[in-house]
Amino acid sequence: MTSAAELPDFPGLGVTGSTGGLGGMVARELAALGSAQRLLVRDAARAPELDGATPAVCSYADSAAARQALDGVKVLFMVSAAETQERVQQHTAFIDAAAGAGVQHVVYTSFYGAAPDATFTLARDHYATEEHIRASGMDFTFLRDNVYLDFLPLLAGEDGVIRGPAGDGAFSGVAREDVARCAVAVLRDPAIHKGATYNLTGPEELTFTQAAGIITESTGRTVTYQPETVEEAYASRASYGAPPWQVDAWVSTYTAIAAGDMAGISPDVHGLTGEDPISLREFLSRPVL
């Protein structure tokens, strides 16, 4: 465990997403280490009460409020915004506000395999965001997360079936807890991570059939995987009434896995934290944080 004395004192450390899962974990870990931080939130009443933490109200899309909230921030932890059709535009506005406010280094939560032609549609959004950060003149570190292990049990419907066109493709899911620990490791000394891109994966490649088996064994709930064709995937999701861009994102999560885009095991979690990443079986046995 790192002592507070080993953590640089960054009164100019800004943290977004502290009312959510990942950002909340990062903010709590930083507070436990004695780091002062500014929590950028949309609603000050929802900001977690943490030692050394001060809320500042803004949204990604409101450039004026964001620039004011970021005044004096030198290092910024930027959690990607909620999935919307305008997410890239929101990110762009916030990045421009950060550069205008004098932020020197952005640590951004991106996605594994981010590329302009990625199969997973939202990975293209992350790539566009990365490119805008690169062009901003600010220093940066990108944390490219694989599929969150936290979400896997939630993919099964009420009947316990995970449905999607992933075939026998594998992914290397990572626990959100590990991503948070990696973020804190980078925020401890951002300068040594300047310009780095880290691929954050778990310790194993899994197909959905294998993941379903582990969930069944670990939780006692019978979960199975049923492959779909792409056409079946769109048809089975039509009843949700979601906009086309969102259905494309849902379906392409699976087709990206089928294409092998989310396979591969990275050493970066261990390299950043000194600990092995959490496996799905271990994650399911842990208490909820």
Side-chain angles (χ1 to χ4, degrees):
M1 177 63 71
T2 306
S3 70
E6 295 173 310
L7 188 73
D9 182 17
F10 279 134
L13 172 60
V15 173
T16 70
S18 63
T19 60
L22 176 61
M25 288 182 184
V26 170
R28 290 192 296 273
E29 288 195 38
L30 289 170
L33 291 170
S35 176
Q37 56 186 312
R38 189 177 308 177
L39 304 179
L40 283 78
V41 294
R42 286 176 293 180
D43 181 357
R46 294 187 58 215
E49 295 184 6
L50 301 170
D51 290 342
T54 304
V57 176
C58 69
S59 69
Y60 282 5
D62 188 338
S63 297
R67 185 162 179 165
Q68 183 176 4
L70 288 163
D71 184 40
V73 168
K74 300 304 179 187
V75 178
L76 173 64
F77 179 58
M78 180 181 171
V79 178
S80 55
E83 297 174 1
T84 67
Q85 195 167 15
E86 295 78 32
R87 181 159 68 164
V88 173
Q89 291 89 335
Q90 292 176 6
H91 285 175
T92 297
F94 188 65
I95 292 161
D96 290 346
V103 172
Q104 297 173 359
H105 193 130
V106 178
V107 180
Y108 172 66
T109 60
S110 187
F111 195 81
Y112 194 81
D117 58 350
T119 306
F120 178 41
T121 56
L122 299 186
R124 303 171 197 169
D125 293 351
H126 285 290
Y127 177 80
T129 300
E130 288 184 1
E131 289 299 288
H132 199 74
I133 293 172
R134 289 179 187 274
S136 72
M138 295 181 289
D139 294 336
F140 60 85
T141 306
F142 299 142
L143 304 178
R144 289 184 170 181
D145 314 336
N146 206 286
V147 177
Y148 279 162
L149 296 180
D150 312 50
F151 295 158
L152 290 183
L154 305 178
L155 294 177
E158 292 183 3
D159 58 358
V161 180
I162 300 173
R163 294 177 173 85
D168 294 322
F171 59 93
S172 307
V174 64
R176 190 160 49 188
E177 176 184 343
D178 278 331
V179 176
R181 292 192 301 114
C182 289
V184 171
V186 171
L187 294 169
R188 284 173 52 191
D189 193 355
I192 67 173
H193 303 285
K194 175 182 174 181
T197 297
Y198 295 111
N199 291 312
L200 306 185
T201 74
E204 59 195 346
E205 292 181 316
L206 294 171
T207 65
F208 271 114
T209 298
Q210 292 170 326
I214 293 171
I215 294 170
T216 298
E217 294 169 9
S218 301
T219 68
R221 180 193 182 196
T222 300
V223 174
T224 59
Y225 169 58
Q226 179 179 314
E228 293 179 309
T229 65
V230 172
E231 293 75 15
E232 288 171 339
Y234 275 97
S236 67
R237 288 155 178 78
S239 63
Y240 296 123
W245 71 265
Q246 191 166 36
V247 180
D248 288 342
W250 290 341
V251 174
S252 65
T253 304
Y254 293 92
T255 56
I257 292 171
D261 295 353
M262 298 190 195
I265 299 171
S266 167
D268 288 344
V269 170
H270 188 280
L272 287 169
T273 69
E275 299 179 21
D276 291 334
I278 300 166
S279 68
L280 177 58
R281 195 179 304 275
E282 183 181 0
F283 169 77
L284 292 170
S285 70
R286 289 186 169 216
V288 177
L289 295 178

